[in-house]
Amino acid sequence: MSATTLPVADSATVRRRTVALLRKHSRTLAGVTGLHTRAALAGLVGPLLVGRLVDDLSGGTTVAHVDRTALVLVAAVVAQAVLVRYAQRNARIYGESLFAELREDFVDTVTGLPLSTVESAGTGDLVGRTTNDVDRIQYAARFGVPRVLVAVVTIVFTLAASFVLAPQVAVIMLAPVPLVVPAVRWYLKRATPGYQRESASYARLNGTITETVEGARTVDALDLGESRRARVRGDLSEAFQAERFTLYLRTVLTPGMDSAFMLAPILTLVWGAFLVSQGWATIGAVTAIVLYGRQMVGPVWELVFWLDEMQVAATSLARLFGVDLLDDAALG
């Protein structure tokens, strides 16, 4: 059966539709961002207090001062835990709302298409978009959007606090950027075509298997079993090659990011030791900046992980939004 390939929306359309969706829920997004901002600010208290305590101990202090600092530190940790709890709860609700709207719009579009248009498009591509692509967007909307929001807010406020505390020490935290930017640009240039190929290969595989199962009697009657098996093997091979390529992209991106951010704490310690030896920074300031750097490792890795997942989701969004283009062509 010859099928017409369903259209895929271009990057501009995906960006426009995504921005419109985010604006529609901007009030909820603002509330979630506010909670995460407060949680990030509470998380900045710990390293700052530890750094000041180091300086106080170096200069001589009392047990009472240490106890008071410890109590404030405990209060900050408790406050951060409470804020993070409610921030993540609201972020999950926000993600669920985004996904629910996307899913409902897509179902409305598909069910509104003329039957002849759906049949001419073929079973596999449409099934792939209603299963694989929806699942990928579901994962990104429910978990990715909240986690990216948390990571970005945490990184921005941690960097800001570091530069306010000791800019001469914090500047070394930007050292990995020249290593990270080329790796990310290299990855992004290849990720979208790679994931589009992967999604298309699974759509073809779904179509081949579905058509073979539905036409099993015809396959047996015309002795087409070997040709159908050969086609399935070919589709599987294409899907394997597509998966292998996207895996290759990740094997380049992840070690590059890992090397850059493992280097950052070492550079901070070396640079901080030099500044302390010259009297340009205190031991407490260097301690606080190192702790801030370690505190950013988790959010940075969260961002790297979701950078890859968001490329997958963006590809799936392009395929889902492409059905709207078919709708316009079919009904216009």
Side-chain angles (χ1 to χ4, degrees):
M1 174 181 172
S2 177
T4 302
T5 304
L6 293 172
V8 176
D10 56 25
S11 299
T13 301
V14 173
R15 283 195 298 270
R16 185 179 68 254
R17 294 281 301 274
T18 303
V19 169
L21 182 63
L22 293 175
R23 285 179 177 173
K24 188 174 182 179
H25 298 271
S26 58
R27 180 173 298 180
T28 306
L29 179 60
V32 171
T33 304
L35 281 172
H36 280 302
T37 299
R38 296 185 186 95
L41 290 174
L44 299 176
V45 174
L48 179 62
L49 289 177
V50 171
R52 288 183 176 178
L53 187 58
V54 168
D55 285 338
D56 293 339
L57 290 172
S58 300
T61 188
T62 63
V63 175
H65 176 70
V66 174
D67 290 342
R68 285 194 300 270
T69 302
L71 287 174
V72 175
L73 181 58
V74 170
V77 171
V78 172
Q80 183 186 21
V82 172
L83 287 168
V84 166
R85 189 267 182 193
Y86 285 101
Q88 291 189 350
R89 172 184 174 276
N90 289 0
R92 290 290 180 86
I93 293 174
Y94 175 69
E96 291 285 351
S97 300
L98 286 180
F99 173 67
E101 184 163 341
L102 280 170
R103 179 183 55 200
E104 290 166 5
D105 288 346
F106 180 68
V107 171
D108 288 343
T109 300
V110 171
T111 54
L113 291 174
L115 182 59
S116 59
T117 303
V118 175
E119 290 178 343
S120 66
T123 306
D125 204 0
L126 190 58
V127 169
R129 297 189 192 212
T130 55
T131 54
N132 295 337
D133 290 317
V134 169
D135 285 343
R136 289 169 173 173
I137 294 172
Q138 166 185 286
Y139 183 57
R142 288 177 171 170
F143 303 104
V145 173
R147 297 311 304 168
V148 168
L149 184 62
V150 173
V152 170
V153 169
T154 303
I155 291 170
V156 169
F157 277 91
T158 303
L159 281 174
S162 300
F163 276 91
V164 170
L165 177 63
Q168 71 277 23
V169 182
V171 68
I172 200 65
M173 298 175 72
L174 301 179
V177 172
L179 300 176
V180 170
V181 171
V184 172
R185 292 184 63 183
W186 179 91
Y187 167 80
L188 292 177
K189 182 179 180 180
R190 294 162 176 79
T192 300
Y195 283 115
Q196 286 179 348
R197 176 190 175 191
E198 182 181 304
S199 296
S201 68
Y202 278 112
R204 284 194 295 272
L205 179 61
N206 287 338
T208 299
I209 293 175
T210 302
E211 290 166 4
T212 301
V213 171
E214 290 178 350
R217 292 183 178 179
T218 303
V219 170
D220 289 340
L222 299 179
D223 195 22
L224 298 175
E226 183 57 38
S227 65
R228 300 304 297 181
R229 284 192 292 271
R231 183 169 175 179
V232 169
R233 286 193 293 269
D235 291 343
L236 280 171
S237 176
E238 171 61 18
F240 174 78
Q241 294 299 327
E243 284 272 14
R244 187 174 182 178
F245 177 73
T246 55
L247 176 61
Y248 163 68
L249 296 181
R250 294 191 291 274
T251 59
V252 173
L253 176 69
T254 303
M257 301 289 284
D258 189 24
S259 301
F261 288 104
M262 288 300 291
L263 185 64
I266 300 173
L267 292 176
T268 303
L269 283 173
V270 173
W271 177 245
F274 169 74
L275 293 177
V276 170
S277 67
Q278 300 299 312
W280 296 338
T282 65
I283 297 176
V286 173
T287 301
I289 299 300
V290 170
L291 291 176
Y292 280 143
R294 293 301 303 167
Q295 190 169 288
M296 280 203 309
V297 170
V300 166
W301 270 113
E302 194 88 43
L303 205 57
V304 171
F305 171 79
W306 285 108
L307 174 67
D308 181 68
E309 291 295 326
M310 287 301 178
Q311 291 301 306
V312 177
T315 300
S316 296
L317 276 176
R319 289 167 57 78
L320 259 63
F321 291 156
V323 178
D324 290 338
L325 304 179
L326 179 63
D327 184 24
D328 294 340
L331 303 177

